[in-house]
Amino acid sequence: MDKFEIESAEKLYNYLKLKLPKFVDYKDLYNLCFSLFCTLDVLPENLRSLKVTKEVLAFTFVKIAVIKNIPEYITKNDWIELIDGFLKLDNNFPNHENAQILLGIN
């Protein structure tokens, strides 16, 4: 990752760490990651300029999975494979509204 991606990952992680509920399940994290992969509109305006790549999301969500005790995906490669698989499924769309609710944005 380049410097801007590292900074973006740190900002995204710090934001998510504060906004996510104490208990979150894999399904909600999957949807949030998929939503962020597709659009940054689920984030507040001041975070929409972040450089969010697969690597940034993988790095961020590994850290989130660890602190939230989500054992399904705990390595960067796990999340990269998950991200790669998002678009391979037919009729697979993230639920942006649920992502915003999870973050308390609605």
Side-chain angles (χ1 to χ4, degrees):
M1 292 192 308
D2 66 28
K3 181 181 177 183
F4 192 56
E5 286 175 313
I6 292 169
E7 290 174 5
S8 291
E10 289 173 2
K11 287 179 183 177
L12 182 60
Y13 170 74
N14 288 333
Y15 172 76
L16 294 177
K17 183 174 67 169
L18 292 174
K19 296 299 284 184
L20 286 171
K22 184 174 183 177
F23 298 104
V24 63
D25 65 14
Y26 159 74
K27 182 181 172 185
D28 287 333
L29 276 186
Y30 172 91
N31 182 65
L32 179 59
C33 186
F34 191 16
S35 294
L36 291 171
F37 181 73
C38 295
T39 181
L40 296 181
D41 288 349
V42 298
L43 294 175
E45 189 73 37
N46 65 320
L47 296 176
R48 292 182 187 168
S49 63
L50 295 177
K51 184 176 182 180
V52 178
T53 63
K54 280 194 303 187
E55 290 75 21
V56 167
L57 287 172
F59 179 82
T60 302
F61 278 82
V62 162
K63 291 172 71 172
I64 294 293
V66 168
I67 66 168
K68 297 297 183 182
N69 197 27
I70 307 290
E72 290 89 346
Y73 293 91
I74 57 169
T75 70
K76 187 175 173 186
N77 284 340
D78 290 339
W79 282 98
I80 287 177
E81 287 176 16
L82 186 68
I83 293 166
D84 286 342
F86 286 157
L87 301 176
K88 290 181 182 178
L89 300 172
D90 290 337
N91 299 319
N92 190 27
F93 303 99
N95 186 323
H96 300 309
E97 183 178 336
N98 281 354
Q100 289 177 316
I101 290 169
L102 182 66
L103 297 174
I105 296 175
N106 270 38

